[in-house]
């Protein structure tokens, strides 16, 4: 293998490595654009390996950065969901406490029946209080049903907001990475000058 061929193989292997790494990070790379990129670049790579390497040096960090930003964005989406979910749980805490109190009071009354003064009073207590407390417990069930529905609705909403947040992050990532690959491609094809500054010219 000539030195130049070795270099080209190395460059392509390097490129594949970067792509594999990015792909592992998120699994959502716009693969078609990468295939297009590889197809159109491989010929140019052979033409001017030194130039290609300089293009890679410049764009690989930018491409890494878009993937990193995507990870951060997804992390923020998850965090926002978790906060909203936590807030929904907390918002229901007072109501749940109230239900617990009602149940405790009802049970307390029935539990106390056995301590009534006489046998007749004990029976009267069960006979009278039984249906009353049963009714109270029934309203607990009704209230719990409606409170639970409210909680579920809040969580569903938080989930759909997370979905939208994830989608927004993915679209932005796809846009940024497609642009970076496009610019890298142009750089390799000699359409655009090799950027000279260490900092990216376009915000990604
Ligand atoms: C949220 O985004 C910011 C800026 O992009 C980032 O610094 C931070 O790490 C992200 N938070 C999480 C939990 O990923
Ligand atoms: C209900 O009773 C249980 C057991 O006696 C007690 O641990 C709990 O704190 C009570 N809850 C309320 C809200 O009063």
């Amino acid at each position: 293998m000539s030195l130049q061929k070795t270099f080209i193989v190395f460059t392509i292997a390097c490129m594949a490595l970067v792509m594999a790494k990015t792909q592992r990070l998120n699994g959502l790379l716009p693969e078609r654009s990468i295939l297009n990129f590889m197809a159109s670049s491989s010929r140019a790579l052979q033409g001017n390996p030194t130039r290609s390497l300089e293009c890679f040096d410049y764009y690989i960090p930018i491409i890494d950065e878009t993937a990193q930003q995507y990870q951060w964005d997804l992390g923020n989406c998850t965090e926002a969901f978790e906060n909203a979910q936590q807030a929904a749980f907390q918002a229901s805490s007072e109501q749940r406490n109230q239900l617990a109190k009602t149940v405790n009071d009802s049970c307390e009354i029935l539990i106390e029946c056995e301590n009534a003064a006489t046998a007749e009073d004990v029976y009267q207590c069960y006979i009278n209080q039984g249906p009353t407390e049963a009714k109270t417990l029934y309203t607990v069930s009704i209230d719990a049903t409606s409170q639970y529905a409210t909680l579920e609705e809040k969580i569903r909403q938080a989930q759909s907001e997370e979905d939208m947040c994830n989608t927004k992050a993915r679209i932005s990532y796809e846009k940024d990475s497609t642009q970076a690959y496009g610019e890298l491609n142009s750089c390799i094809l000699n359409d655009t000058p090799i950027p000279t500054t260490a900092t990216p010219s376009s915000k990604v």
Side-chain angles (χ1 to χ4, degrees):
M1 226 186 237
S2 75
L3 198 61
Q4 175 154 327
K5 280 232 174 72
T6 310
F7 174 79
I8 292 164
V9 169
F10 167 77
T11 308
I12 290 173
C14 178
M15 196 168 80
L17 203 71
V18 169
M19 285 164 186
K21 184 180 157 211
T22 319
Q23 208 142 24
R24 219 178 22 248
L25 269 175
N26 48 62
L28 281 169
L29 272 177
E31 286 178 36
R32 168 107 28 111
S33 76
I34 289 165
L35 289 179
N36 289 343
F37 163 74
M38 290 177 83
S40 62
S41 299
S42 53
R43 218 164 296 133
L45 282 175
Q46 296 179 37
N48 192 344
T50 309
R51 178 187 174 82
S52 298
L53 187 61
E54 284 175 44
C55 296
F56 278 117
D57 279 349
Y58 181 79
Y59 281 105
I60 282 172
I62 293 179
I63 288 165
D64 280 350
E65 202 182 304
T66 65
Q68 178 63 73
Q69 184 63 50
Y70 184 37
Q71 287 307 104
W72 281 337
D73 289 347
L74 289 181
N76 280 331
C77 295
T78 305
E79 198 178 297
F81 168 73
E82 279 164 3
N83 289 342
Q85 189 182 44
Q86 203 54 42
F89 289 151
Q90 250 151 34
S92 73
S93 129
E94 183 49 46
Q95 286 182 319
R96 279 181 284 125
N97 198 43
Q98 191 52 54
L99 291 178
K101 257 199 206 101
T102 305
V103 170
N104 277 12
D105 292 349
S106 277
C107 294
E108 179 84 20
I109 288 167
L110 291 174
I111 286 165
E112 281 304 310
C113 281
E114 68 171 322
N115 299 325
T118 66
E120 285 92 342
D121 287 348
V122 170
Y123 281 122
Q124 281 303 324
C125 181
Y126 288 132
I127 290 165
N128 294 332
Q129 294 305 319
T132 308
E133 302 317 323
K135 228 180 272 169
T136 303
L137 292 179
Y138 184 68
T139 69
V140 166
S141 162
I142 300 286
D143 291 350
T145 302
S146 113
Q147 290 169 22
Y148 184 53
T150 305
L151 177 64
E152 289 285 275
E153 181 50 37
K154 280 184 186 167
I155 288 169
R156 244 197 313 276
Q157 194 169 333
Q159 251 153 10
S160 98
E161 268 158 28
E162 189 194 14
D163 288 346
M164 283 189 291
C165 181
N166 287 344
T167 302
K168 201 171 147 236
R170 182 172 51 78
I171 288 169
S172 156
Y173 166 68
E174 285 177 355
K175 182 174 147 286
D176 289 347
S177 67
T178 301
Q179 179 181 341
Y181 279 113
E183 285 177 14
L184 172 57
N185 196 30
S186 302
C187 181
I188 292 168
L189 292 174
N190 218 348
D191 289 345
T192 50
I194 299 164
T196 48
T197 51
T199 46
S201 56
S202 63
K203 180 90 182 76
V204 287

